[in-house]
Amino acid sequence: MSPKNVIFKKMAKDKSVGVYMAKRDFVDRVDSVDPVDGVILVDPEVLKGKKAFVQLSCTFRYGRDDMDVMGIAFRREIYMAIRQVYPPMQDREQSTHTKMQGKLLRKLGDNAFPFFFEFPDNLPCSVGLQPGPKDSGKQCVVEFEVKAFSAESQEAKVRKRSTVHLMIRKLQYAPENSGTAPSGKTTREFVMSDKPLHLEASLDKEIYYHGEPINVCVDVTNSSNKNVKNIIVSVDQVATVVLYSNDSYVRAVALEESGDAVAAGASLKKVYTLTPLLICNRERRGIAVDGKLKHEDTNLASSSIVKEGVLKEVLGILVSYRVMVKLIIGGEVGVELPLTLMHPKPDLASWKRRWCLRSSSAPT
């Protein structure tokens, strides 16, 4: 999360406009989303009669800007809203929505003007697919941006020197109420065996926090005449690009090939512990990660929670997780357990701080 009591400031090169914001992380609670608010500082002498605007946009990129060929852009604007802040369209007090805006206005003076945006309820969260070690430039990503600029009008050509960009993030936190702990079972019968092989697996809860170990209870009853040669347990990330291709990327972000065997007529009950971390998947192309701000680290992407009735096609990239338990017997016998991997609300736990400490101390 953005640090408290810190003001994020960025000025255009020609000093005509500048953006001031108290935070860059905005929380999606499924039924509501934090509004985006801040203050624009203008210099009327530099503007020379031009107007000042502020824009909030959500963009889906699936290639670098310099890869645009024959007018085909490798980006799509999912959402865009623009407000004129100077000359002001209404009284400053009527446009001021937060205490922080009021403090900034008093500090910055008469040439500062507030802005306020509300997110629609159908926008995705900040997420991207990790590029490979040899990839360069921006890859597949959903990103949010606040942009301030000065121009003769909203439709006029805007000079780069008169524009300032500030990246922000839209995040989700784990819901307070967890569902039933996932469990699953399967039975495999064999032609040359009178009795079957039975597999049960379960988790101790549905929602896990980033950096938290996941305990998988596996119970094998092998009444058949086949030998189980190995038990493989993995946490898989499923990232589906729903906006333009519906491609799915399935990656094991934590894996244990136990080597445990279960002979014919024997049984085994054991708990396997796996901890999915980005630090262990840094070089792997296609791993989904939470959106990050410049110079900040990130983590594996959080599970996507979609509001009922929202079209998934406009959500860019959807992320889910599952535990897979496989018994190797020449072929495979397996069960799948869905789970949710997210950050807790900051006032409920300190898992984010623990994860940051773990990331900084882990070997690269």
Side-chain angles (χ1 to χ4, degrees), residues 263-294:
S267 61
L268 171 72
K269 187 170 184 178
K270 183 175 179 179
V271 175
Y272 298 91
T273 302
L274 298 90
T275 307
L277 293 171
L278 180 58
I279 196 72
C280 304
N281 295 275
R282 285 286 188 195
E283 304 298 315
R284 300 182 62 198
R285 188 175 187 271
I287 295 289
V289 297
D290 276 344
K292 69 175 183 177
L293 303 174
K294 195 174 182 180

Side-chain angles (χ1 to χ4, degrees), residues 107-120:
K107 182 176 180 179
L108 297 174
D110 294 338
N111 291 328
F113 301 90
F115 67 86
F116 184 89
F117 292 98
E118 289 187 302
F119 282 111

Side-chain angles (χ1 to χ4, degrees), residues 18-161:
V19 179
Y20 291 74
M21 298 182 68
K23 62 180 183 178
R24 298 173 72 177
D25 289 340
F26 299 87
V27 180
D28 180 350
R29 298 175 179 82
V30 181
D31 57 345
S32 65
V33 187
D34 288 348
V36 178
D37 65 272
V39 168
I40 300 297
L41 181 65
V42 303
D43 187 334
E45 293 185 4
V46 178
L47 286 175
K48 296 179 179 178
K50 292 182 180 179
K51 298 176 181 179
F53 301 90
V54 61
Q55 170 183 299
L56 172 66
S57 63
C58 173
T59 304
F60 177 73
R61 298 179 185 269
Y62 43 105
R64 303 193 308 271
D65 288 341
D66 59 7
M67 291 173 59
D68 291 0
V69 178
M70 297 178 64
I72 301 175
F74 286 79
R75 55 177 286 164
R76 176 175 170 181
E77 298 288 351
I78 299 176
Y79 173 77
M80 180 187 295
I82 300 178
R83 307 272 191 274
Q84 179 180 316
V85 292
Y86 180 83
M89 304 295 287
Q90 59 180 335
D91 184 82
R92 286 209 315 176
E93 290 187 5
Q94 293 179 338
S95 304
T96 303
H97 294 266
T98 66
K99 291 182 179 179
M100 184 56 69
Q101 280 182 319
K103 290 180 180 179
L104 284 171
L105 292 172
R106 288 191 293 271
K107 182 176 180 179
L108 297 174
D110 294 338
N111 291 328
F113 301 90
F115 67 86
F116 184 89
F117 292 98
E118 289 187 302
F119 282 111
D121 61 4
N122 63 343
L123 293 184
C125 286
S126 301
V127 63
L129 297 182
Q130 183 172 261
K134 297 182 180 179
D135 294 336
S136 60
K138 291 186 177 181
Q139 302 300 312
C140 190
V141 62
V142 174
E143 57 188 10
F144 291 82
E145 177 188 77
V146 171
K147 169 184 169 183
F149 62 94
S150 60
E152 297 289 346
S153 67
Q154 184 175 309
E155 296 78 18
K157 185 176 180 180
V158 181
R159 299 169 57 208
K160 287 186 177 181
R161 288 179 53 81

